[in-house]
Amino acid sequence: MRIPTFSIQLLLACVTAVSACASPYGATGPDDRAAIARNGFSADDVGYVLFDPDSGAVLAERQPAKPFAPASVAKLPAMAAALAVLGPDHRFETTLHITGRLGNGVLDGDLILKGGGDPSLSSEGLTELLRDLGALGVTRVTGRFLYDTSALPEMAEIDSGQPWTAGYNTGVGALSLNFNRFRFDWARPAAGQPVRVSAWSVSDAGRVPLDSVTVQLGAGAGAAFTPLIAADGQPANGEPEGERWRFAPQPGMAASLWLPVTRPGLAAAHVFRRLATEAGIALPAPAPGAVPPTATLAALHRSEPLEVLARQVLRYSNNLSAELIGLAAARRLDPAVRTLPESAAVLTAPAMMAAPHTDWTGLRLLNHSGLSAASRITPAQTMALIQGAGPAVLALLPGEDEGKVLPTGVRAKSGTLAYAKALAGTLTTAGGRTLGFAFFVTDEERRAAMDRTMDRRIAEIPPEARAWLARARKLQADLLELWIAGL
């Protein structure tokens, strides 16, 4: 099924033309005013829908047609759509290919590592590929070592409105490894001695030096890390230059922290080369390339089924995994997709078509993870997407919010950004009914003010934003208690 961009635009125009802007719902539900006021919010900041997932009857609502920031709640419709498009048994493949002749342990040709968009690829998966390559007798490659990232577009970050140092705002690409994060360690051995720094790609099996990262030591106050970019913005000598950071140690800062990988294909290739050396296979330095039609498949690593990966995304809310899965599904529908906003539009379109009576005005999803302060969705639209997801997808939802257990009978996807909190899923009432719900609270003015003054070198959110989120979580808990007890 291929849905070109023009059909999405036509769909939006048609839906807007036939949809009424006023909410079609007449339900009021339990009185929520005391809970909203008690937690210090304005009624205009809050929106929700509580509904019967089978009949679609709305039992309680507040501002169901107002757009709110979905944050990571956006992962729920993304995973539902991906499961529908790719199938729950879909597995992502990472492959090794060879060209030329192999004799006496020497491959007189090229070795190509090709990424298939596996969001769970780890160093252990690369080790499996090397084990199979070693079984063929390869100990040295005289040609090139290439890495192929053509299966998906490669991007340096998910959202340009996030801090540079945010480990959750990583690069995205077909060859992504260890969730595209690296651990940076630093130490000053003694007074007057130079600072020692190191970068590591880390998995459950251990850590591997990440040769694609270089760090320039400096001095200064206010920010420990600043990414360095070539003066002309282009790779040096025609080759990607990897991660380049300026590091200025700050008083009291931790000796170890996580940073995002922005050139995932190159980083994965460097880790593969290191692991190959440990396995007794000598490889040249990696370079970008493509698998030629004449190449021979030498090794294959497959991910767990998509159903397993989707469950992990909904529980652990990994942004990279959501983007890779969403991109793969969207490009199955439209191979021309090149950006995350395009991908989100393509992947959401079938669900919109399946709910023509829903007012889709104001829907704006800029990616699959929800990592954007500019994305918007209404409670009523979220309700339609939850209904479209179906029981099998809703069964994948966790019973926790950011690692904290939700009330008994609540299974939901949570979302959190500075000045935005959301939760959507199902709950079981005291009377034994299973209901669907979508809850949002957003402070548009404070979020906009924070974005206007953002310093991308600083990853921490302001203390006042943390306090706001604490109140939002309490309001969320109060409303859940009200709905569970009262319906």
Side-chain angles (χ1 to χ4, degrees):
M1 178 181 181
R2 186 178 185 275
I3 305 177
T5 302
F6 75 85
S7 68
I8 296 171
Q9 296 170 340
L10 178 61
L11 170 66
L12 288 170
C14 293
V15 170
T16 302
V18 302
S19 299
C21 292
S23 169
Y25 309 121
T28 55
D31 192 345
D32 60 8
R33 290 173 296 181
I36 293 173
R38 182 170 61 246
N39 289 288
F41 290 99
S42 162
D44 291 338
D45 294 335
V46 182
Y48 62 77
V49 173
L50 182 68
F51 61 95
D52 184 316
D54 296 322
S55 68
V58 175
L59 306 177
E61 65 176 15
R62 176 174 289 279
Q63 301 193 105
K66 179 178 178 177
F68 291 86
S72 285
V73 163
K75 293 182 174 73
L76 174 53
M79 292 305 99
L83 286 163
V85 172
L86 299 175
D89 297 324
H90 176 79
R91 294 173 185 259
F92 295 89
E93 297 182 349
T94 307
T95 52
L96 271 183
H97 306 260
I98 57 175
T99 65
R101 293 184 177 183
L102 174 61
N104 298 320
V106 178
L107 175 63
D108 188 14
D110 295 338
L111 176 69
I112 307 102
L113 173 65
K114 182 171 184 178
D118 182 358
S120 62
L121 183 64
S122 65
S123 298
E124 291 87 331
L126 298 186
T127 299
E128 290 179 16
L129 292 173
L130 285 164
R131 189 178 304 125
D132 292 342
L133 185 65
L136 295 177
V138 176
T139 59
R140 184 163 63 93
V141 174
T142 62
R144 299 171 297 173
F145 169 41
L146 305 176
Y147 60 96
D148 184 341
T149 63
S150 60
L152 295 176
E154 185 162 288
M155 308 161 200
E157 59 185 350
I158 296 171
D159 179 51
S160 61
Q162 303 298 320
W164 284 314
T165 57
Y168 51 79
N169 187 36
T170 68
V172 178
L175 189 56
S176 294
L177 181 72
N178 296 335
F179 300 110
N180 287 352
R181 299 190 310 165
F182 70 93
R183 199 183 80 187
F184 175 80
D185 294 343
W186 73 282
R188 181 178 279 114
Q193 296 296 312
V195 173
R196 292 203 305 256
V197 299
S198 56
W200 308 88
S201 184
V202 181
S203 70
D204 290 342
R207 63 182 192 174
V208 178
L210 188 52
D211 298 319
S212 63
V213 170
T214 57
V215 178
Q216 173 185 310
L217 292 174
F225 288 94
T226 305
L228 297 176
I229 302 171
D232 59 2
Q234 300 297 320
N237 299 320
E239 293 186 357
E241 55 188 12
E243 317 296 324
R244 297 178 64 236
W245 294 86
R246 177 182 178 273
F247 173 56
Q250 303 296 306
M253 70 172 289
S256 179
L257 70 159
W258 294 97
L259 293 172
V261 167
T262 62
R263 297 186 186 275
L266 179 63
H270 273 289
V271 172
F272 184 87
R273 187 187 186 210
R274 279 274 188 170
L275 293 172
T277 300
E278 294 178 6
I281 302 174
L283 300 180
V291 177
T294 55
T296 300
L297 178 65
L300 166 68
H301 172 76
R302 305 180 76 202
S303 73
E304 290 188 283
L306 177 56
E307 184 176 26
V308 174
L309 300 179
R311 183 188 296 273
Q312 292 170 350
V313 168
L314 294 174
R315 181 179 182 186
Y316 300 110
S317 209
N318 183 271
N319 294 325
L320 171 66
S321 296
E323 302 299 355
L324 290 174
I325 292 171
L327 272 169
R331 283 170 66 89
R332 175 72 64 87
L333 296 174
D334 185 352
V337 164
R338 298 299 303 172
T339 69
L340 292 177
E342 289 176 357
S343 185
V346 166
L347 201 58
T348 309
M352 295 168 66
M353 292 181 190
H357 300 298
T358 298
D359 182 0
W360 294 102
T361 305
L363 178 67
R364 187 176 187 232
L365 298 179
L366 298 183
N367 51 44
H368 304 289
S369 66
L371 186 62
S372 171
S375 288
R376 291 293 181 270
I377 194 170
T378 71
Q381 291 163 358
T382 309
M383 167 184 159
L385 294 173
I386 289 174
Q387 287 185 286
V393 176
L394 296 179
L396 302 178
L397 289 169
E400 58 187 55
D401 174 6
E402 300 176 19
K404 296 182 175 61
V405 177
L406 288 165
T408 302
V410 178
R411 302 183 66 87
K413 181 71 196 81
S414 65
T416 305
L417 290 171
Y419 298 114
K421 184 74 182 75
L423 191 73
T426 62
L427 60 82
T428 302
T429 70
R433 299 179 67 184
T434 297
L435 302 176
F437 71 93
F439 159 79
F440 301 91
V441 54
T442 302
D443 191 319
E444 299 274 3
E445 291 185 5
R446 290 188 181 182
R447 177 69 207 202
M450 190 188 86
D451 289 339
R452 285 194 298 270
T453 59
M454 174 179 286
D455 183 343
R456 295 198 71 191
R457 299 173 301 171
I458 309 299
E460 296 78 13
I461 67 172
E464 54 270 25
R466 290 196 296 271
W468 185 96
L469 285 170
R471 290 191 289 111
R473 293 186 184 97
K474 184 60 171 61
L475 173 60
Q476 172 185 289
D478 288 350
L479 290 179
L480 287 174
E481 182 181 3
L482 191 66
W483 297 335
I484 291 170
L487 292 167

